[in-house]
Amino acid sequence: MSIIPCILSGGSGSRLWPMSRSMRPKQFLPMFDGESLFQKTLKRFASDHFASPLVICNADHRFLVGEQMAGAGRSGGSIVLEPIGRNTAAPAALAALLAFEQDDDALVLLAPSDHLVARPDLFVRAVEAAEPAARAGNIVTFGISPSEPNTGYGYIRLKPEEGDVRPVEAFVEKPDRQRAETFLADGNYVWNAGIFLFSARAMIEEFERQAPEVLSGTRAALTGARRDLDFLRLDAEAFAAVPDISIDYAIMEHCERIMCVPVDPGWNDLGSWSAVWETLEKGEEGNSALGEAMFLKARDNLVISDEALVSVIGLEKVMVIATKDAVLVANQDNAQDVKTIVDRLKVDGRREVREHRRAWRPWGSREEIASGERFQVQEIEIKPGASLTEQSHVNRAEHWVVVSGTLEITIEGERHLITENQSAYAPVGARHRLANPGRVATRVIEIQSGAYIGDDDIVRYADEGSEPSGT
């Protein structure tokens, strides 16, 4: 049977703020050749050697996941929604249980969705080399051959034996610089990439021995799960009771049948902006940019910009990350401190931590253009065949101008079709619904005006069980 790739898509990617935010973390950003890390991960497992993917993700990201799977040509996979983050042990148990339901001899490849692999062919060969050991009942991990004494990764100590698949002696926590240099000189240490190949049966047995409370909790969450469109929603109460623990602590550090395949596929976990700089193409002075940038008397700098032109003069090892509503400027040596800034913003309740000015919705997206006292202007894009829920507003009226495509608008039960440069108006309190009946995206400028402009001034009339969409 083919290997079932289980792709983990959780986390908030706070170290890549302000591009990465909790509602659209780093794995969904199209930063590399126009594709996201999530899509690259899907395509890594697109050969006949692999079955359709199983994706376990944050419930808030479900439509992003579905849309990007379709964009990568992998829309046939299964999507399981976590109501709350529970580290990596619970998803590993879920993957084993779901795969075992399909085939009690199934193999599962557990992989994060936010890592960059420059040589996917080498990684796939490593998976093929690991397959016999996994079918024999071992849990196989993939260790990245270290290129430097990096202190940001955990390490795996291998037994000094020959072969493509080697026994694991120990998992080692992130070391200080001196220990990392010792590991590199030793030659029997690899970086822990958090990627595992195992039989569903063997992993369930290990959970029964080492972490039965994780297994019983995930079983309960699956028993109470319900189907919602293309998604499987885990039972929230049962899943919240599952211990919040990593697979390393729950299983790997106690298991006696762990093997490892050392591999060097150009792997990077992109855990900071300095790591992103390392992966990008550089000019003669070591500068890298995604977006418009100019460098003068500058060396080894990184610029990421949504739209604005960024100029860097006379600086070295500086990172400038510019979005429409937030700008980060930092020295590369302080790249890990970005998370501290994000933590402060969370305490202050800042929106910039959660979502971008452009917010993605099941029906498309909306982006704020301007706002002030008693008004807000935003651009709305509605996907072909999609519609917003019927709604009304207590304190504001709305006016729409179609920029491109066709808009179907229903106001107090009266349906209208309007096209480019045409407009429509709904007064305060009027029930209305926007929809796109066409085959191309519809772009609309929406002007809201009234005594109160806020996302909570929405009365929805959605059918029971339908997805709230709002504007």
Coordinates of all heavy atoms in Angstrom, one line a residue, residues 22 47 94 121 145 220 245:
S22 N -1.6 35.0 13.0 CA -2.3 33.8 13.5 C -3.3 33.3 12.5 O -3.6 32.1 12.4 CB -2.9 34.0 14.9 OG -3.8 35.0 14.9
S47 N 3.7 11.9 -5.7 CA 4.0 10.8 -6.6 C 3.1 9.6 -6.3 O 2.4 9.6 -5.3 CB 5.5 10.4 -6.5 OG 5.7 9.8 -5.2
L94 N -3.7 10.8 16.2 CA -4.9 10.9 15.3 C -4.5 10.3 13.9 O -5.3 9.5 13.4 CB -5.2 12.4 15.1 CG -6.0 13.1 16.2 CD1 -6.0 14.6 15.9 CD2 -7.4 12.6 16.3
D121 N 13.7 15.5 -4.1 CA 14.0 14.2 -4.7 C 14.9 13.4 -3.7 O 14.7 12.2 -3.5 CB 14.7 14.3 -6.0 CG 16.0 15.2 -6.0 OD1 15.9 16.2 -5.2 OD2 16.9 14.8 -6.6
S145 N 21.6 16.2 8.1 CA 23.0 16.3 8.3 C 23.4 17.8 8.6 O 23.1 18.7 7.8 CB 23.8 15.8 7.0 OG 23.4 14.5 6.7
A220 N -11.4 9.5 21.9 CA -12.7 10.1 22.3 C -13.1 11.3 21.3 O -14.2 11.5 21.0 CB -12.6 10.6 23.7
I245 N 1.4 17.9 24.7 CA 2.8 17.3 24.7 C 3.3 17.0 23.4 O 2.5 16.7 22.5 CB 2.8 16.1 25.7 CG1 4.2 15.6 25.9 CG2 1.9 15.0 25.1 CD1 4.3 14.5 26.9

